[in-house]
Amino acid sequence: MNLNKSIVKKLMYLSGMMNIGGVLVLSRFFSNNVINEADPVVMSNFGLLMIVVWGLSFLAMAPKWNHLKWVIGAFVIEKFIYGFVWTKWLMNNNLSDVYEQDMMAGIFYTIYGANDWFFFIFYLIVFIYLSKTQNKVIW
């Protein structure tokens, strides 16, 4: 398996910008209460702020991604968790109810999990690539 390093880095920057920009714009800089009310545990303003922090982490590691296999492994786990939580949320909630209350909150709940599943697969591919190409560490 061979990965285009330039494309990998660009996608890592995109993942960071999606986290940061998506949260800041769609939450109206943490003032969109409909997002909070639809999932008060995961999408509280604290939870949204932590998504922005993850985005900053994605941006920070992008230039040196090929040396950070275990950081990318953590990203795989993070993206899986958010994708899973979103899927569970969709199965137990009505997305159209969120759209009726606020269009931007509806857009947020439409795209956030799909974004996380996409980047889960992306980071998993990168992690597997690095696991196969880097020298093995003997403990």
Side-chain angles (χ1 to χ4, degrees), residues 2 15 35-36 43 47 56-58 67 74 89-90 96 101 115 123 126 128:
N2 199 3
S15 72
I35 291 175
N36 307 136
M43 297 303 165
L56 293 170
S57 299
F58 302 146
H67 301 288
W89 185 90
L90 282 179
S96 62
Q101 293 177 51
N115 176 72
Y123 282 116
V126 173
I128 292 168

Side-chain angles (χ1 to χ4, degrees), residues 42-55:
V42 178
M43 297 303 165
S44 65
N45 279 342
F46 176 78
L48 293 172
L49 178 61
M50 291 301 96
I51 292 170
V52 170
V53 170
W54 275 110

